[in-house]
């Protein structure tokens, strides 16, 4: 009963903060006010989950929330860089929207499934911390493709823009994102309180989605701070600092997950059992008061 009440309060509190954030973004165009409110919402949520959730579940949820939030999204800048015409981005790839939004999306869905398969075959045999660290490292290095393309290295290597984009952003990125997502999902799904699995997972998904939304808000501030301009109608575009944005937001910030794993994630095997109360690993069969294995050993 108390667990149900706390989870309900957590969901309600998060919903109220989300509404407050949306109202603030609609009411002001001052990016510093938006940045301050966004940072405040992220900070309050990071602390509040420890008041409403069991400690081990709160720590795992905080890890997922923070890693999504600090992975600052600059996708809109990249989208403009990929698709605007010669006037706005001289020498750019100038992708048409059919290729950029339809063909690549279909291909990406196939490789999402491949990411799940690779996780089951390889990462599921790792310890939890190791799997999350490897995922962070892969996520960071995956941005090298965008960096190379913005620097136009692919043309020096003789690789056309479309083929380079297909290999990097359409094939490798979905695999990496899915492999990074799966370990956290497996861990938290096994930490859900008994008879509260659906509610807890819904709260988890909400935190994950809100982290992505906050990441986009921080991304807008980062793009403005970097001087990125995308005024297509007037042709006043400036992507000169886009490489630095990729380095900082795409390659450095995802590495924040590495130290966080040692603080927030238990050092367990994917196949370990978790005690219901302490959340400590115990290999072996299921007993009273234990969670089922994170991944069943065959």
């Amino acid at each position: 009963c108390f667990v149900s009440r706390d989870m309900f309060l957590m969901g309600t509190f998060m919903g109220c903060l989300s509404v407050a954030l949306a109202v603030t973004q609609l009411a002001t165009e001052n990016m510093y006010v938006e940045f301050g409110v966004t940072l405040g919402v992220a900070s309050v949520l990071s602390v509040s989950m420890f008041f409403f959730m069991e400690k081990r579940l709160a720590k795992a949820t905080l890890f997922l929330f923070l890693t999504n939030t600090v992975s600052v999204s600059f996708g809109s800048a990249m989208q403009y860089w990929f698709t605007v015409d010669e006037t706005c981005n001289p020498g750019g790839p100038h992708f048409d929207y059919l290729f950029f939004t339809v063909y690549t999306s279909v291909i990406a869905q196939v490789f999402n499934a491949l990411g799940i398969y690779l996780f089951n075959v390889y990462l599921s045999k790792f310890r939890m911390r190791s799997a999350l660290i490897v995922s962070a490292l892969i996520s960071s290095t995956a941005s090298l493709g965008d960096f190379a393309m913005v620097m136009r290295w692919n043309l020096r290597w003789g690789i056309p823009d479309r083929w380079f984009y297909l290999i990097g952003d359409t094939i490798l990125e979905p695999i990496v994102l899915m492999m990074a997502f799966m370990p956290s999902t497996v861990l938290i799904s096994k930490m859900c309180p008994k008879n509260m699995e659906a509610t807890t997972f819904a709260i988890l998904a909400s935190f994950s989605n809100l982290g992505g939304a906050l990441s986009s808000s921080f991304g807008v501030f980062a793009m403005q701070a970097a001087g990125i301009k995308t005024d297509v109608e007037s042709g006043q575009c400036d992507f000169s600092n886009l490489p630095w944005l990729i380095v900082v937001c795409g390659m450095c910030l995802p590495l924040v997950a590495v130290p966080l794993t040692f603080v927030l994630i238990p050092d367990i095997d994917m196949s370990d059992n978790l005690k219901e109360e302490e959340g400590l690993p115990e290999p072996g069969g299921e007993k009273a008061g234990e969670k089922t294995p994170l991944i069943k050993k065959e």
Side-chain angles (χ1 to χ4, degrees):
C1 180
F2 289 106
V3 174
S4 301
R5 183 196 63 185
D6 289 343
M7 295 301 291
F8 173 77
L9 291 175
M10 180 74 259
T12 303
F13 184 62
M14 180 170 56
C16 292
L17 287 180
S18 299
V19 171
L21 178 63
V23 170
T24 302
Q25 292 177 338
L26 290 173
T28 181
E29 295 182 357
N30 189 315
M31 70 174 184
Y32 295 102
V33 173
E34 292 185 16
F35 177 79
V37 173
T38 302
L39 184 62
V41 169
S43 302
V44 171
L45 283 174
S46 298
V47 174
S48 64
M49 64 181 66
F50 286 91
F51 291 93
F52 295 106
M53 295 180 176
E54 186 185 3
K55 184 178 179 180
R56 60 193 172 94
L57 178 60
K59 290 172 69 175
T61 306
L62 178 62
F63 175 84
L64 186 63
F65 176 67
L66 289 181
T67 51
N68 280 331
T69 302
V70 301
S71 297
V72 175
S73 173
F74 54 95
S76 58
M78 290 301 303
Q79 179 177 344
Y80 277 105
W81 189 86
F82 283 129
T83 58
V84 292
D85 58 21
E86 184 71 18
T87 303
C88 192
N89 184 20
H94 315 309
F95 293 148
D96 61 87
Y97 279 97
L98 183 62
F99 167 80
F100 187 73
T101 62
V102 178
Y103 296 158
T104 56
S105 296
V106 173
I107 297 172
Q109 293 304 314
V110 175
F111 286 94
N112 273 328
L114 180 58
I116 297 175
Y117 171 77
L118 292 176
F119 165 78
N120 285 328
V121 173
Y122 298 107
L123 280 185
S124 63
K125 297 179 175 63
F126 281 42
R127 295 185 70 81
M128 181 61 66
R129 285 180 179 174
S130 298
L132 292 169
I133 290 172
V134 169
S135 297
L137 294 175
I138 296 175
S139 297
S140 176
T141 55
S143 295
L144 284 171
D146 287 336
F147 183 79
M149 198 165 183
V150 170
M151 298 298 293
R152 312 309 283 148
W153 291 348
N154 63 297
L155 297 182
R156 299 180 195 174
W157 300 335
I159 306 175
D161 287 328
R162 291 200 174 204
W163 281 107
F164 198 81
Y165 181 80
L166 282 172
I167 295 171
D169 291 64
T170 309
I171 295 176
L172 294 180
E173 185 173 324
I175 295 174
V176 166
L177 292 178
M178 190 56 66
M179 292 178 70
F181 175 74
M182 288 300 294
S184 296
T185 304
V186 171
L187 173 65
I188 296 180
S189 67
K190 294 301 180 181
M191 285 185 167
C192 295
K194 189 176 181 180
N195 299 325
M196 287 288 296
E197 289 86 354
T199 303
T200 304
F201 195 83
I203 295 292
L204 164 64
S206 299
F207 268 111
S208 178
N209 293 335
L210 182 58
L214 294 178
S215 170
S216 298
S217 297
F218 286 130
V220 171
F221 180 82
M223 286 184 286
Q224 291 180 348
I228 304 295
K229 297 179 181 179
T230 56
D231 191 348
V232 180
E233 293 183 359
S234 64
Q236 295 180 356
C237 300
D238 186 356
F239 298 102
S240 57
N241 288 325
L242 186 55
W244 286 107
L245 196 66
I246 296 173
V247 170
V248 174
C249 298
M251 300 170 64
C252 295
L253 288 181
L255 297 178
V256 172
V258 174
L260 287 179
T261 56
F262 295 100
V263 178
L264 301 174
I265 302 299
D267 186 21
I268 59 174
D269 266 340
M270 291 279 194
S271 56
D272 281 341
N273 293 326
L274 294 179
K275 281 189 177 181
E276 187 74 37
E277 298 299 327
E278 294 87 355
L280 300 174
E282 273 201 8
E286 298 179 24
K287 299 178 182 179
E290 291 183 350
K291 283 289 187 184
T292 56
L294 294 175
I295 294 180
K296 293 282 189 180
K297 288 183 177 179
E298 296 184 359

